[in-house]
Amino acid sequence: MLQSFFVLQNQYEDLARDEVISISKSYDPKTNSRSESRLVILKSKAPWKKIASRATFVRTCGNIVDTFDDISKIDPPIPKPLSFVCRTINLSSKKLSSSSLERQAGEVLKNRWGSKVSLSNPHLTVYLIITDSEQYIGCADYTIQPKLPTKAIKHSHELDLKLSRCIVNLSQLKEGKTLCDPFCGTGTILLQAESMGIKSVGIDFDKIMCNITRKNLAVNGFKSKVINSSYNEIQNIKNKIDAIVTDLPYGISSRSSVSPKKLIKDFVSVVPKRKKLVIVYKKGLDVEEISKAKKYEIYRHKSLTRVIAVR
Ligand SMILES: C[S@@+](CC[C@H](N)C(=O)[O-])C[C@H]1O[C@@H](n2cnc3c(N)ncnc32)[C@H](O)[C@@H]1O
């Protein structure tokens, strides 16, 4: 089985790594992963391009084709490309001259393949990925730009599009499965889910928010169902959904007198136990019911740190 590599952005490393692994697991539950520094290597039936088209925090990715000790002897076992370029990704603690490594590798491969080097529009990019424990050769024939949805109407309480995409991916759903966001607000989570082919159902007890969500879905041509109701509606649709992904209120809503902490507690108690649950809430509102969930903290500003909990 081919191995793929993902070099992560240097923000939210744990979250970024788990997102990549979760996407892969949604297609291949037997995914094998290892990581070092900002590099994740997967043994998975999921093609790297599929994972790359969904991942939020990936900088560079492709297939791992070989390892090397001596740059002058590299001979990756792949068909020769029409043109190529070599790029260094130094994730080690050593200082390296990237340009000299790339020049040396370029010379060796040009002689082996007879292909031309193209800096601007190569058919293949050969990555020299250096970590403290290994030196890999990676390859990618093009770069992937995830297709992101747009928003017609925004709101000060909305979750940003990137984080929304990431938490949808943590739910390990693939195309055709159904997600429910029972506190959908402006619909950011639904937009990201549908943009990746995941069906979704939104619930919000505020009619105005439901209408905003409907408009945001419509500008993207999306068809997720939006129900104007309390989150308890989830009990009536539980057999139609595969995971719950949501961003809970951070303060007391003008429409309810329930404290945000009590709301989380009550909400978690109605979530079907066997469904995957990914929730976002304000740090400090932790409740016993999710004490065993995997958690990530996202600092926004001095009065808002979000927690993402995955159960
Ligand atoms: C933090 S906002 C969600 C923001 C959303 N993620 C977005 O990007 O726009 C929480 C939402 O929960 C809704 N809400 C609050 N209490 C609710 C309840 N008991 N049942 C359903 N929705 C509720 C509010 O109307 C609000 O739109």
Side-chain angles (χ1 to χ4, degrees), residues 149 151 159-161 163-165 167-168 179-196 198 200-201 213 217 224 244-248 278-280:
K151 253 183 153 182
L159 194 61
D160 65 73
L161 275 163
L163 218 49
S164 300
R165 191 173 186 90
I167 62 172
V168 170
L179 163 159
C180 175
D181 177 358
F183 298 89
C184 71
T186 59
T188 325
I189 292 170
L190 310 180
L191 291 174
Q192 288 292 18
E194 237 191 293
S195 77
M196 294 187 277
I198 298 163
S200 51
V201 184
T213 290
L217 289 165
S224 301
I244 294 117
V245 181
T246 198
D247 167 37
L248 284 126
V278 184
I279 59 174
V280 181

PDB file of all heavy atoms in Angstrom, residues 149 151 159-161 163-165 167-168 179-196 198 200-201 213 217 224 244-248 278-280:
ATOM      1  N   PRO A 149     -16.913  26.772   0.595  1.00  0.00           N
ATOM      2  CA  PRO A 149     -18.200  27.428   0.372  1.00  0.00           C
ATOM      3  C   PRO A 149     -18.104  28.920   0.674  1.00  0.00           C
ATOM      4  O   PRO A 149     -17.166  29.367   1.339  1.00  0.00           O
ATOM      5  CB  PRO A 149     -19.122  26.736   1.379  1.00  0.00           C
ATOM      6  CG  PRO A 149     -18.218  26.257   2.463  1.00  0.00           C
ATOM      7  CD  PRO A 149     -16.892  25.970   1.826  1.00  0.00           C
ATOM      8  N   LYS A 151     -20.254  32.589   2.074  1.00  0.00           N
ATOM      9  CA  LYS A 151     -21.333  32.968   2.976  1.00  0.00           C
ATOM     10  C   LYS A 151     -21.952  34.278   2.533  1.00  0.00           C
ATOM     11  O   LYS A 151     -21.245  35.258   2.308  1.00  0.00           O
ATOM     12  CB  LYS A 151     -20.741  33.162   4.378  1.00  0.00           C
ATOM     13  CG  LYS A 151     -21.116  32.036   5.302  1.00  0.00           C
ATOM     14  CD  LYS A 151     -20.606  32.270   6.660  1.00  0.00           C
ATOM     15  CE  LYS A 151     -21.493  31.571   7.640  1.00  0.00           C
ATOM     16  NZ  LYS A 151     -21.083  31.806   9.009  1.00  0.00           N
ATOM     17  N   LEU A 159     -18.864  30.685  13.830  1.00  0.00           N
ATOM     18  CA  LEU A 159     -17.588  29.975  13.934  1.00  0.00           C
ATOM     19  C   LEU A 159     -16.875  30.186  12.607  1.00  0.00           C
ATOM     20  O   LEU A 159     -17.520  30.186  11.559  1.00  0.00           O
ATOM     21  CB  LEU A 159     -17.891  28.476  14.144  1.00  0.00           C
ATOM     22  CG  LEU A 159     -16.740  27.589  14.603  1.00  0.00           C
ATOM     23  CD1 LEU A 159     -16.201  28.041  15.953  1.00  0.00           C
ATOM     24  CD2 LEU A 159     -17.211  26.144  14.701  1.00  0.00           C
ATOM     25  N   ASP A 160     -15.534  30.344  12.649  1.00  0.00           N
ATOM     26  CA  ASP A 160     -14.891  30.620  11.360  1.00  0.00           C
ATOM     27  C   ASP A 160     -14.924  29.382  10.472  1.00  0.00           C
ATOM     28  O   ASP A 160     -15.019  28.248  10.935  1.00  0.00           O
ATOM     29  CB  ASP A 160     -13.497  31.207  11.530  1.00  0.00           C
ATOM     30  CG  ASP A 160     -12.532  30.247  12.168  1.00  0.00           C
ATOM     31  OD1 ASP A 160     -12.121  29.299  11.487  1.00  0.00           O
ATOM     32  OD2 ASP A 160     -12.212  30.441  13.355  1.00  0.00           O
ATOM     33  N   LEU A 161     -14.864  29.648   9.170  1.00  0.00           N
ATOM     34  CA  LEU A 161     -15.030  28.580   8.184  1.00  0.00           C
ATOM     35  C   LEU A 161     -13.987  27.476   8.338  1.00  0.00           C
ATOM     36  O   LEU A 161     -14.292  26.305   8.211  1.00  0.00           O
ATOM     37  CB  LEU A 161     -14.967  29.177   6.771  1.00  0.00           C
ATOM     38  CG  LEU A 161     -16.287  29.745   6.231  1.00  0.00           C
ATOM     39  CD1 LEU A 161     -16.047  30.651   5.049  1.00  0.00           C
ATOM     40  CD2 LEU A 161     -17.259  28.631   5.828  1.00  0.00           C
ATOM     41  N   LEU A 163     -12.215  26.456  11.066  1.00  0.00           N
ATOM     42  CA  LEU A 163     -12.442  25.602  12.238  1.00  0.00           C
ATOM     43  C   LEU A 163     -13.669  24.715  12.016  1.00  0.00           C
ATOM     44  O   LEU A 163     -13.701  23.558  12.424  1.00  0.00           O
ATOM     45  CB  LEU A 163     -12.637  26.483  13.475  1.00  0.00           C
ATOM     46  CG  LEU A 163     -12.016  25.980  14.768  1.00  0.00           C
ATOM     47  CD1 LEU A 163     -10.579  25.576  14.578  1.00  0.00           C
ATOM     48  CD2 LEU A 163     -12.111  27.066  15.840  1.00  0.00           C
ATOM     49  N   SER A 164     -14.670  25.267  11.334  1.00  0.00           N
ATOM     50  CA  SER A 164     -15.882  24.485  11.048  1.00  0.00           C
ATOM     51  C   SER A 164     -15.545  23.286  10.174  1.00  0.00           C
ATOM     52  O   SER A 164     -16.015  22.180  10.394  1.00  0.00           O
ATOM     53  CB  SER A 164     -16.931  25.338  10.340  1.00  0.00           C
ATOM     54  OG  SER A 164     -17.281  26.420  11.141  1.00  0.00           O
ATOM     55  N   ARG A 165     -14.719  23.519   9.165  1.00  0.00           N
ATOM     56  CA  ARG A 165     -14.339  22.417   8.272  1.00  0.00           C
ATOM     57  C   ARG A 165     -13.576  21.344   9.056  1.00  0.00           C
ATOM     58  O   ARG A 165     -13.822  20.145   8.918  1.00  0.00           O
ATOM     59  CB  ARG A 165     -13.451  22.966   7.148  1.00  0.00           C
ATOM     60  CG  ARG A 165     -13.211  21.972   6.035  1.00  0.00           C
ATOM     61  CD  ARG A 165     -12.481  22.663   4.908  1.00  0.00           C
ATOM     62  NE  ARG A 165     -12.336  21.837   3.740  1.00  0.00           N
ATOM     63  CZ  ARG A 165     -13.204  21.776   2.739  1.00  0.00           C
ATOM     64  NH1 ARG A 165     -14.301  22.482   2.772  1.00  0.00           N
ATOM     65  NH2 ARG A 165     -12.974  21.008   1.691  1.00  0.00           N
ATOM     66  N   ILE A 167     -13.717  20.611  12.261  1.00  0.00           N
ATOM     67  CA  ILE A 167     -14.516  19.802  13.197  1.00  0.00           C
ATOM     68  C   ILE A 167     -15.446  18.839  12.445  1.00  0.00           C
ATOM     69  O   ILE A 167     -15.733  17.752  12.933  1.00  0.00           O
ATOM     70  CB  ILE A 167     -15.277  20.648  14.251  1.00  0.00           C
ATOM     71  CG1 ILE A 167     -16.285  21.605  13.624  1.00  0.00           C
ATOM     72  CG2 ILE A 167     -14.297  21.371  15.154  1.00  0.00           C
ATOM     73  CD1 ILE A 167     -17.163  22.298  14.669  1.00  0.00           C
ATOM     74  N   VAL A 168     -15.879  19.231  11.237  1.00  0.00           N
ATOM     75  CA  VAL A 168     -16.656  18.279  10.428  1.00  0.00           C
ATOM     76  C   VAL A 168     -15.765  17.064  10.127  1.00  0.00           C
ATOM     77  O   VAL A 168     -16.183  15.916  10.264  1.00  0.00           O
ATOM     78  CB  VAL A 168     -17.151  18.936   9.115  1.00  0.00           C
ATOM     79  CG1 VAL A 168     -17.737  17.894   8.176  1.00  0.00           C
ATOM     80  CG2 VAL A 168     -18.177  20.025   9.405  1.00  0.00           C
ATOM     81  N   LEU A 179     -24.789  14.513   8.838  1.00  0.00           N
ATOM     82  CA  LEU A 179     -24.361  15.205  10.065  1.00  0.00           C
ATOM     83  C   LEU A 179     -25.503  16.096  10.551  1.00  0.00           C
ATOM     84  O   LEU A 179     -26.273  16.611   9.752  1.00  0.00           O
ATOM     85  CB  LEU A 179     -23.126  16.011   9.685  1.00  0.00           C
ATOM     86  CG  LEU A 179     -22.545  17.141  10.499  1.00  0.00           C
ATOM     87  CD1 LEU A 179     -21.093  17.318  10.100  1.00  0.00           C
ATOM     88  CD2 LEU A 179     -23.275  18.453  10.333  1.00  0.00           C
ATOM     89  N   CYS A 180     -25.595  16.267  11.873  1.00  0.00           N
ATOM     90  CA  CYS A 180     -26.581  17.211  12.401  1.00  0.00           C
ATOM     91  C   CYS A 180     -25.867  18.273  13.235  1.00  0.00           C
ATOM     92  O   CYS A 180     -25.005  17.948  14.056  1.00  0.00           O
ATOM     93  CB  CYS A 180     -27.589  16.466  13.269  1.00  0.00           C
ATOM     94  SG  CYS A 180     -28.762  17.592  14.075  1.00  0.00           S
ATOM     95  N   ASP A 181     -26.213  19.545  12.986  1.00  0.00           N
ATOM     96  CA  ASP A 181     -25.750  20.638  13.844  1.00  0.00           C
ATOM     97  C   ASP A 181     -26.983  21.216  14.544  1.00  0.00           C
ATOM     98  O   ASP A 181     -27.749  21.971  13.946  1.00  0.00           O
ATOM     99  CB  ASP A 181     -25.033  21.711  13.012  1.00  0.00           C
ATOM    100  CG  ASP A 181     -24.602  22.891  13.888  1.00  0.00           C
ATOM    101  OD1 ASP A 181     -24.907  22.865  15.101  1.00  0.00           O
ATOM    102  OD2 ASP A 181     -23.976  23.835  13.363  1.00  0.00           O
ATOM    103  N   PRO A 182     -27.199  20.860  15.822  1.00  0.00           N
ATOM    104  CA  PRO A 182     -28.424  21.293  16.516  1.00  0.00           C
ATOM    105  C   PRO A 182     -28.382  22.717  17.077  1.00  0.00           C
ATOM    106  O   PRO A 182     -29.356  23.149  17.704  1.00  0.00           O
ATOM    107  CB  PRO A 182     -28.538  20.258  17.640  1.00  0.00           C
ATOM    108  CG  PRO A 182     -27.151  19.759  17.857  1.00  0.00           C
ATOM    109  CD  PRO A 182     -26.371  19.954  16.605  1.00  0.00           C
ATOM    110  N   PHE A 183     -27.266  23.436  16.872  1.00  0.00           N
ATOM    111  CA  PHE A 183     -27.175  24.864  17.249  1.00  0.00           C
ATOM    112  C   PHE A 183     -26.573  25.558  16.031  1.00  0.00           C
ATOM    113  O   PHE A 183     -25.471  26.116  16.093  1.00  0.00           O
ATOM    114  CB  PHE A 183     -26.265  25.043  18.471  1.00  0.00           C
ATOM    115  CG  PHE A 183     -26.756  24.339  19.717  1.00  0.00           C
ATOM    116  CD1 PHE A 183     -26.390  23.025  19.980  1.00  0.00           C
ATOM    117  CD2 PHE A 183     -27.582  24.997  20.623  1.00  0.00           C
ATOM    118  CE1 PHE A 183     -26.840  22.373  21.123  1.00  0.00           C
ATOM    119  CE2 PHE A 183     -28.034  24.356  21.774  1.00  0.00           C
ATOM    120  CZ  PHE A 183     -27.665  23.034  22.028  1.00  0.00           C
ATOM    121  N   CYS A 184     -27.275  25.510  14.892  1.00  0.00           N
ATOM    122  CA  CYS A 184     -26.604  25.805  13.614  1.00  0.00           C
ATOM    123  C   CYS A 184     -26.298  27.277  13.368  1.00  0.00           C
ATOM    124  O   CYS A 184     -25.463  27.586  12.523  1.00  0.00           O
ATOM    125  CB  CYS A 184     -27.372  25.193  12.456  1.00  0.00           C
ATOM    126  SG  CYS A 184     -28.936  25.999  12.103  1.00  0.00           S
ATOM    127  N   GLY A 185     -26.950  28.211  14.081  1.00  0.00           N
ATOM    128  CA  GLY A 185     -26.641  29.635  13.885  1.00  0.00           C
ATOM    129  C   GLY A 185     -26.746  30.025  12.421  1.00  0.00           C
ATOM    130  O   GLY A 185     -27.792  29.852  11.789  1.00  0.00           O
ATOM    131  N   THR A 186     -25.620  30.502  11.846  1.00  0.00           N
ATOM    132  CA  THR A 186     -25.624  30.930  10.440  1.00  0.00           C
ATOM    133  C   THR A 186     -25.328  29.777   9.469  1.00  0.00           C
ATOM    134  O   THR A 186     -25.185  29.998   8.274  1.00  0.00           O
ATOM    135  CB  THR A 186     -24.571  32.038  10.223  1.00  0.00           C
ATOM    136  OG1 THR A 186     -23.287  31.500  10.595  1.00  0.00           O
ATOM    137  CG2 THR A 186     -24.866  33.273  11.048  1.00  0.00           C
ATOM    138  N   GLY A 187     -25.139  28.598  10.011  1.00  0.00           N
ATOM    139  CA  GLY A 187     -24.993  27.412   9.147  1.00  0.00           C
ATOM    140  C   GLY A 187     -23.581  27.091   8.697  1.00  0.00           C
ATOM    141  O   GLY A 187     -23.398  26.297   7.768  1.00  0.00           O
ATOM    142  N   THR A 188     -22.564  27.665   9.363  1.00  0.00           N
ATOM    143  CA  THR A 188     -21.179  27.466   8.894  1.00  0.00           C
ATOM    144  C   THR A 188     -20.796  25.980   8.815  1.00  0.00           C
ATOM    145  O   THR A 188     -20.164  25.544   7.852  1.00  0.00           O
ATOM    146  CB  THR A 188     -20.187  28.198   9.829  1.00  0.00           C
ATOM    147  OG1 THR A 188     -20.795  29.390  10.295  1.00  0.00           O
ATOM    148  CG2 THR A 188     -18.906  28.527   9.118  1.00  0.00           C
ATOM    149  N   ILE A 189     -21.189  25.218   9.831  1.00  0.00           N
ATOM    150  CA  ILE A 189     -20.816  23.788   9.861  1.00  0.00           C
ATOM    151  C   ILE A 189     -21.536  23.034   8.734  1.00  0.00           C
ATOM    152  O   ILE A 189     -20.944  22.194   8.054  1.00  0.00           O
ATOM    153  CB  ILE A 189     -21.135  23.202  11.265  1.00  0.00           C
ATOM    154  CG1 ILE A 189     -20.190  23.837  12.292  1.00  0.00           C
ATOM    155  CG2 ILE A 189     -21.058  21.680  11.278  1.00  0.00           C
ATOM    156  CD1 ILE A 189     -20.526  23.555  13.746  1.00  0.00           C
ATOM    157  N   LEU A 190     -22.803  23.387   8.510  1.00  0.00           N
ATOM    158  CA  LEU A 190     -23.566  22.725   7.443  1.00  0.00           C
ATOM    159  C   LEU A 190     -22.938  23.025   6.080  1.00  0.00           C
ATOM    160  O   LEU A 190     -22.846  22.156   5.211  1.00  0.00           O
ATOM    161  CB  LEU A 190     -25.028  23.199   7.431  1.00  0.00           C
ATOM    162  CG  LEU A 190     -25.796  23.189   8.753  1.00  0.00           C
ATOM    163  CD1 LEU A 190     -27.217  23.691   8.536  1.00  0.00           C
ATOM    164  CD2 LEU A 190     -25.826  21.802   9.358  1.00  0.00           C
ATOM    165  N   LEU A 191     -22.501  24.280   5.901  1.00  0.00           N
ATOM    166  CA  LEU A 191     -21.893  24.674   4.615  1.00  0.00           C
ATOM    167  C   LEU A 191     -20.645  23.845   4.338  1.00  0.00           C
ATOM    168  O   LEU A 191     -20.447  23.343   3.227  1.00  0.00           O
ATOM    169  CB  LEU A 191     -21.491  26.153   4.642  1.00  0.00           C
ATOM    170  CG  LEU A 191     -22.612  27.190   4.671  1.00  0.00           C
ATOM    171  CD1 LEU A 191     -22.023  28.589   4.837  1.00  0.00           C
ATOM    172  CD2 LEU A 191     -23.446  27.125   3.407  1.00  0.00           C
ATOM    173  N   GLN A 192     -19.809  23.709   5.365  1.00  0.00           N
ATOM    174  CA  GLN A 192     -18.579  22.946   5.162  1.00  0.00           C
ATOM    175  C   GLN A 192     -18.886  21.480   4.917  1.00  0.00           C
ATOM    176  O   GLN A 192     -18.254  20.839   4.079  1.00  0.00           O
ATOM    177  CB  GLN A 192     -17.633  23.116   6.362  1.00  0.00           C
ATOM    178  CG  GLN A 192     -16.983  24.487   6.441  1.00  0.00           C
ATOM    179  CD  GLN A 192     -15.986  24.741   5.308  1.00  0.00           C
ATOM    180  OE1 GLN A 192     -15.972  24.076   4.281  1.00  0.00           O
ATOM    181  NE2 GLN A 192     -15.135  25.745   5.484  1.00  0.00           N
ATOM    182  N   ALA A 193     -19.851  20.944   5.661  1.00  0.00           N
ATOM    183  CA  ALA A 193     -20.189  19.529   5.475  1.00  0.00           C
ATOM    184  C   ALA A 193     -20.671  19.297   4.036  1.00  0.00           C
ATOM    185  O   ALA A 193     -20.161  18.416   3.337  1.00  0.00           O
ATOM    186  CB  ALA A 193     -21.265  19.119   6.476  1.00  0.00           C
ATOM    187  N   GLU A 194     -21.616  20.115   3.593  1.00  0.00           N
ATOM    188  CA  GLU A 194     -22.164  19.887   2.249  1.00  0.00           C
ATOM    189  C   GLU A 194     -21.129  20.113   1.160  1.00  0.00           C
ATOM    190  O   GLU A 194     -21.146  19.438   0.128  1.00  0.00           O
ATOM    191  CB  GLU A 194     -23.405  20.768   2.023  1.00  0.00           C
ATOM    192  CG  GLU A 194     -24.584  19.870   1.660  1.00  0.00           C
ATOM    193  CD  GLU A 194     -25.808  20.595   1.152  1.00  0.00           C
ATOM    194  OE1 GLU A 194     -26.423  21.316   1.957  1.00  0.00           O
ATOM    195  OE2 GLU A 194     -26.161  20.416  -0.027  1.00  0.00           O
ATOM    196  N   SER A 195     -20.193  21.038   1.404  1.00  0.00           N
ATOM    197  CA  SER A 195     -19.152  21.278   0.382  1.00  0.00           C
ATOM    198  C   SER A 195     -18.258  20.043   0.224  1.00  0.00           C
ATOM    199  O   SER A 195     -17.567  19.897  -0.772  1.00  0.00           O
ATOM    200  CB  SER A 195     -18.303  22.497   0.741  1.00  0.00           C
ATOM    201  OG  SER A 195     -17.381  22.176   1.757  1.00  0.00           O
ATOM    202  N   MET A 196     -18.302  19.143   1.220  1.00  0.00           N
ATOM    203  CA  MET A 196     -17.495  17.916   1.121  1.00  0.00           C
ATOM    204  C   MET A 196     -18.379  16.704   0.810  1.00  0.00           C
ATOM    205  O   MET A 196     -17.956  15.562   0.984  1.00  0.00           O
ATOM    206  CB  MET A 196     -16.718  17.706   2.425  1.00  0.00           C
ATOM    207  CG  MET A 196     -15.675  18.788   2.664  1.00  0.00           C
ATOM    208  SD  MET A 196     -14.601  18.470   4.073  1.00  0.00           S
ATOM    209  CE  MET A 196     -15.610  19.055   5.434  1.00  0.00           C
ATOM    210  N   ILE A 198     -21.116  15.741   2.364  1.00  0.00           N
ATOM    211  CA  ILE A 198     -21.768  15.147   3.536  1.00  0.00           C
ATOM    212  C   ILE A 198     -23.139  15.809   3.675  1.00  0.00           C
ATOM    213  O   ILE A 198     -23.245  17.038   3.637  1.00  0.00           O
ATOM    214  CB  ILE A 198     -20.900  15.385   4.801  1.00  0.00           C
ATOM    215  CG1 ILE A 198     -19.547  14.690   4.632  1.00  0.00           C
ATOM    216  CG2 ILE A 198     -21.623  14.920   6.064  1.00  0.00           C
ATOM    217  CD1 ILE A 198     -18.472  15.168   5.587  1.00  0.00           C
ATOM    218  N   SER A 200     -26.469  17.175   5.528  1.00  0.00           N
ATOM    219  CA  SER A 200     -26.558  17.724   6.875  1.00  0.00           C
ATOM    220  C   SER A 200     -27.936  18.268   7.199  1.00  0.00           C
ATOM    221  O   SER A 200     -28.708  18.625   6.312  1.00  0.00           O
ATOM    222  CB  SER A 200     -25.483  18.795   7.088  1.00  0.00           C
ATOM    223  OG  SER A 200     -25.529  19.731   6.057  1.00  0.00           O
ATOM    224  N   VAL A 201     -28.206  18.304   8.501  1.00  0.00           N
ATOM    225  CA  VAL A 201     -29.470  18.837   9.017  1.00  0.00           C
ATOM    226  C   VAL A 201     -29.109  19.861  10.081  1.00  0.00           C
ATOM    227  O   VAL A 201     -28.315  19.572  10.985  1.00  0.00           O
ATOM    228  CB  VAL A 201     -30.305  17.722   9.704  1.00  0.00           C
ATOM    229  CG1 VAL A 201     -31.659  18.285  10.151  1.00  0.00           C
ATOM    230  CG2 VAL A 201     -30.490  16.530   8.806  1.00  0.00           C
ATOM    231  N   THR A 213     -29.292  30.808   7.850  1.00  0.00           N
ATOM    232  CA  THR A 213     -28.694  29.549   7.390  1.00  0.00           C
ATOM    233  C   THR A 213     -29.243  29.166   6.017  1.00  0.00           C
ATOM    234  O   THR A 213     -28.491  28.786   5.117  1.00  0.00           O
ATOM    235  CB  THR A 213     -28.957  28.420   8.405  1.00  0.00           C
ATOM    236  OG1 THR A 213     -28.182  28.681   9.563  1.00  0.00           O
ATOM    237  CG2 THR A 213     -28.563  27.063   7.869  1.00  0.00           C
ATOM    238  N   LEU A 217     -27.041  28.615   2.690  1.00  0.00           N
ATOM    239  CA  LEU A 217     -27.036  27.347   1.943  1.00  0.00           C
ATOM    240  C   LEU A 217     -27.411  27.617   0.485  1.00  0.00           C
ATOM    241  O   LEU A 217     -26.761  27.109  -0.435  1.00  0.00           O
ATOM    242  CB  LEU A 217     -28.045  26.363   2.556  1.00  0.00           C
ATOM    243  CG  LEU A 217     -27.674  25.784   3.929  1.00  0.00           C
ATOM    244  CD1 LEU A 217     -28.884  25.136   4.587  1.00  0.00           C
ATOM    245  CD2 LEU A 217     -26.545  24.761   3.789  1.00  0.00           C
ATOM    246  N   SER A 224     -29.281  21.332   2.474  1.00  0.00           N
ATOM    247  CA  SER A 224     -29.445  20.809   3.836  1.00  0.00           C
ATOM    248  C   SER A 224     -30.761  21.277   4.423  1.00  0.00           C
ATOM    249  O   SER A 224     -31.200  22.405   4.186  1.00  0.00           O
ATOM    250  CB  SER A 224     -28.331  21.323   4.754  1.00  0.00           C
ATOM    251  OG  SER A 224     -27.087  20.944   4.285  1.00  0.00           O
ATOM    252  N   ILE A 244     -22.986  14.098  15.227  1.00  0.00           N
ATOM    253  CA  ILE A 244     -23.435  15.433  15.648  1.00  0.00           C
ATOM    254  C   ILE A 244     -22.192  16.314  15.769  1.00  0.00           C
ATOM    255  O   ILE A 244     -21.231  15.953  16.469  1.00  0.00           O
ATOM    256  CB  ILE A 244     -24.169  15.363  17.003  1.00  0.00           C
ATOM    257  CG1 ILE A 244     -25.467  14.581  16.816  1.00  0.00           C
ATOM    258  CG2 ILE A 244     -24.502  16.752  17.544  1.00  0.00           C
ATOM    259  CD1 ILE A 244     -25.516  13.341  17.597  1.00  0.00           C
ATOM    260  N   VAL A 245     -22.224  17.432  15.061  1.00  0.00           N
ATOM    261  CA  VAL A 245     -21.092  18.366  15.096  1.00  0.00           C
ATOM    262  C   VAL A 245     -21.682  19.737  15.373  1.00  0.00           C
ATOM    263  O   VAL A 245     -22.523  20.215  14.603  1.00  0.00           O
ATOM    264  CB  VAL A 245     -20.330  18.373  13.747  1.00  0.00           C
ATOM    265  CG1 VAL A 245     -19.151  19.335  13.799  1.00  0.00           C
ATOM    266  CG2 VAL A 245     -19.846  16.971  13.392  1.00  0.00           C
ATOM    267  N   THR A 246     -21.279  20.382  16.449  1.00  0.00           N
ATOM    268  CA  THR A 246     -21.946  21.642  16.782  1.00  0.00           C
ATOM    269  C   THR A 246     -21.081  22.571  17.618  1.00  0.00           C
ATOM    270  O   THR A 246     -20.080  22.163  18.207  1.00  0.00           O
ATOM    271  CB  THR A 246     -23.287  21.342  17.489  1.00  0.00           C
ATOM    272  OG1 THR A 246     -24.108  22.499  17.424  1.00  0.00           O
ATOM    273  CG2 THR A 246     -23.103  20.910  18.937  1.00  0.00           C
ATOM    274  N   ASP A 247     -21.511  23.828  17.637  1.00  0.00           N
ATOM    275  CA  ASP A 247     -20.808  24.910  18.323  1.00  0.00           C
ATOM    276  C   ASP A 247     -21.840  25.529  19.272  1.00  0.00           C
ATOM    277  O   ASP A 247     -22.777  26.188  18.825  1.00  0.00           O
ATOM    278  CB  ASP A 247     -20.355  25.875  17.219  1.00  0.00           C
ATOM    279  CG  ASP A 247     -19.887  27.215  17.693  1.00  0.00           C
ATOM    280  OD1 ASP A 247     -19.249  27.274  18.747  1.00  0.00           O
ATOM    281  OD2 ASP A 247     -20.133  28.202  16.969  1.00  0.00           O
ATOM    282  N   LEU A 248     -21.670  25.253  20.567  1.00  0.00           N
ATOM    283  CA  LEU A 248     -22.708  25.635  21.541  1.00  0.00           C
ATOM    284  C   LEU A 248     -22.649  27.110  21.920  1.00  0.00           C
ATOM    285  O   LEU A 248     -21.595  27.748  21.792  1.00  0.00           O
ATOM    286  CB  LEU A 248     -22.549  24.761  22.787  1.00  0.00           C
ATOM    287  CG  LEU A 248     -23.076  23.341  22.553  1.00  0.00           C
ATOM    288  CD1 LEU A 248     -22.049  22.314  22.889  1.00  0.00           C
ATOM    289  CD2 LEU A 248     -24.359  23.121  23.330  1.00  0.00           C
ATOM    290  N   VAL A 278     -18.904  15.822  18.096  1.00  0.00           N
ATOM    291  CA  VAL A 278     -17.819  16.821  18.103  1.00  0.00           C
ATOM    292  C   VAL A 278     -18.457  18.135  18.518  1.00  0.00           C
ATOM    293  O   VAL A 278     -19.352  18.641  17.827  1.00  0.00           O
ATOM    294  CB  VAL A 278     -17.157  16.974  16.713  1.00  0.00           C
ATOM    295  CG1 VAL A 278     -15.975  17.946  16.794  1.00  0.00           C
ATOM    296  CG2 VAL A 278     -16.694  15.642  16.158  1.00  0.00           C
ATOM    297  N   ILE A 279     -18.043  18.682  19.664  1.00  0.00           N
ATOM    298  CA  ILE A 279     -18.652  19.942  20.093  1.00  0.00           C
ATOM    299  C   ILE A 279     -17.588  21.005  20.371  1.00  0.00           C
ATOM    300  O   ILE A 279     -16.462  20.695  20.773  1.00  0.00           O
ATOM    301  CB  ILE A 279     -19.558  19.778  21.346  1.00  0.00           C
ATOM    302  CG1 ILE A 279     -18.774  19.230  22.536  1.00  0.00           C
ATOM    303  CG2 ILE A 279     -20.742  18.897  21.049  1.00  0.00           C
ATOM    304  CD1 ILE A 279     -19.607  19.192  23.823  1.00  0.00           C
ATOM    305  N   VAL A 280     -18.007  22.241  20.143  1.00  0.00           N
ATOM    306  CA  VAL A 280     -17.146  23.384  20.439  1.00  0.00           C
ATOM    307  C   VAL A 280     -17.842  24.177  21.534  1.00  0.00           C
ATOM    308  O   VAL A 280     -19.054  24.400  21.463  1.00  0.00           O
ATOM    309  CB  VAL A 280     -16.969  24.287  19.191  1.00  0.00           C
ATOM    310  CG1 VAL A 280     -16.058  25.470  19.505  1.00  0.00           C
ATOM    311  CG2 VAL A 280     -16.408  23.492  18.032  1.00  0.00           C
TER     312      VAL A 280
END
